[in-house]
Amino acid sequence: MAAPDDFDAWFRLLQTPGLGREGVRRLLAAFGSPEAALAATPAALTELGGPALAATMARPAPECVPRLAAARAWLAGGDDHHVLTLGDAAYPPLLLQTADPPLLLYVQGRPELLAAESVAIVGSRDATPQGLANAREFAQALAEAGFAVISGLAAGIDGAAHEGALAAGGTTLAVVGTGPDRVYPARHKALARRVVAHGAIVSEFDPGTPVLPENFPQRNRIIAGLARGTLVVEAALRSGSLITARLAAEAGREVFALPGSIRSPVARGCHALIKQGAALVESADDVLEALRGSRPAAAPQAPETDADPVLAALGHDPATLDALLARTGWPTAELNARLLELELDGRVSRLPGGLFQRRVAA
């Protein structure tokens, strides 16, 4: 799974100035593949999005060629260097069910672990000694229970979470806000090597991407989307960890928060989450009980999810037709026909607002 045959086309499409992820999804829904979107005629593009879209597609990014060469060089740099696209069968299913799944992921390590049962542990970069100890303790216990621990490789709580999982001999995934070839902070280079050896480093940013503040909120949605639950250990009221928690809640995942002293600034974010409905936890057993209790009971239906690509793309949350078009890459007529078949079979319901949702047998 080093690199798909259509990697160049995915890369070029994502590098098109002014297009953005939503624009790429729209093109994929209309034309079915990156190659077809790039080969679309100006007339077809104008019909889809007006003259502005046709003009956008006619202006390739001047830096695309050297950036593509750098990405290819990174992919060729080791057997553990991989890339996953939204159309890849190995794309992590939980992430696919989110509102804004990344179109391309670089993975250094074992990409299959992105689909493992996992918990995200996030928190303050300026953590207290007690907060660091709590993050290590929870991560170690969760890893010993068989969950992969996901965090962001940042200073503070993130680093402690990775260390705790590694101390248990478990699996840990680091979702970074830089290219996969960069480690931030630099003092975590040794930790990053251990993460790769026992899990993976994951990034949607192409190799060479430096530290840019705007990239970290984007990576937070990947942390939340990969995990079945997110635990916030310490966080100030204006914290990126609260963004991760909000995104987890919006994706229908469990959100947990550790309480702290009312005098501590890094406890206020956790207290705010608890007021908003996050589960107050005092031990890893609280997290495990909630996650095991929320695990779908209808396990025999899992093969059906894997077997039918439309049901797999739909997941267990309502989705629009546009979202399903982007996730499957199917032509509109073909997707509508399959949705109608599933509706007649009683496996999909059509909801108000143009939404579709899977029906689960009682």
Side-chain angles (χ1 to χ4, degrees):
M1 182 194 314
D5 293 338
D6 55 357
F7 169 70
D8 285 16
W10 280 96
F11 190 94
R12 288 170 56 203
L13 202 56
L14 283 165
Q15 292 291 323
T16 302
L19 198 55
R21 293 192 297 272
E22 285 303 316
V24 171
R25 289 192 182 93
R26 190 177 181 189
L27 288 170
L28 292 173
F31 299 108
S33 71
E35 296 95 333
L38 290 168
T41 64
L45 292 167
T46 300
E47 183 178 355
L48 176 66
L53 178 60
T56 293
M57 295 299 290
R59 294 192 304 268
E63 68 273 15
C64 182
V65 172
R67 294 181 76 163
L68 177 56
R72 287 175 178 162
W74 182 85
L75 286 167
D79 292 338
D80 60 350
H81 290 197
H82 310 273
V83 67
L84 295 173
T85 68
L86 190 66
D88 197 311
Y91 195 92
L94 277 183
L95 192 56
L96 188 64
Q97 294 171 21
T98 60
D100 184 19
L103 300 169
L104 187 151
L105 286 173
Y106 296 94
V107 182
Q108 184 176 1
R110 295 169 56 192
E112 71 275 11
L113 295 177
L114 275 65
E117 290 275 89
S118 57
V119 181
I121 299 179
V122 296
S124 175
R125 286 177 168 84
D126 299 317
T128 66
Q130 184 61 59
L132 296 173
N134 289 338
R136 292 189 193 97
E137 178 185 332
F138 273 76
Q140 184 166 344
L142 292 167
E144 288 172 348
F147 283 84
V149 173
I150 303 175
S151 200
L153 200 64
I157 296 300
D158 287 19
H162 294 304
E163 290 167 357
L166 292 167
T171 296
T172 186
L173 306 172
V175 183
V176 298
T178 63
D181 55 339
R182 302 291 181 94
V183 175
Y184 176 77
R187 66 177 181 271
H188 277 177
K189 286 183 178 180
L191 177 59
R193 288 193 291 269
R194 294 170 63 205
V195 169
V196 170
H198 297 275
I201 287 178
V202 184
S203 177
E204 71 173 322
F205 303 106
D206 52 285
T209 302
V211 179
L212 299 171
E214 61 268 26
N215 288 351
F216 289 89
Q218 290 189 55
R219 73 89 191 264
N220 290 348
R221 82 187 196 285
I222 303 175
I223 294 175
L226 285 170
R228 293 211 22 240
T230 293
L231 169 64
V232 182
V233 176
E234 288 185 337
L237 284 174
R238 296 181 179 273
S239 167
S241 300
L242 300 191
I243 296 175
T244 308
R246 175 178 58 80
L247 293 168
E250 290 175 354
R253 313 293 166 79
E254 300 282 352
V255 178
F256 310 99
L258 276 179
S261 168
I262 60 172
R263 310 292 182 190
S264 173
V266 291
R268 290 174 186 161
C270 292
H271 294 167
L273 288 174
I274 292 168
K275 290 177 183 177
Q276 294 162 14
L280 185 157
V281 296
E282 298 175 312
S283 71
D285 286 341
D286 294 336
V287 177
L288 292 170
E289 182 179 353
L291 291 177
R292 287 167 176 161
S294 67
R295 186 172 294 152
Q301 293 188 355
E304 177 187 71
T305 300
D306 295 334
D308 190 292
V310 175
L311 288 176
L314 183 55
H316 293 278
D317 295 321
T320 64
L321 180 64
D322 285 345
L324 293 174
L325 286 167
R327 293 173 188 176
T328 61
W330 285 20
T332 303
E334 187 176 344
L335 179 58
N336 273 320
R338 182 56 185 149
L339 284 168
L340 179 60
E341 291 174 3
L342 292 169
E343 189 177 358
L344 293 174
D345 288 341
R347 293 194 282 172
V348 166
S349 294
R350 194 180 297 262
L351 305 179
L355 296 171
F356 297 88
Q357 184 169 36
R358 184 197 309 214
R359 297 180 63 181
V360 179

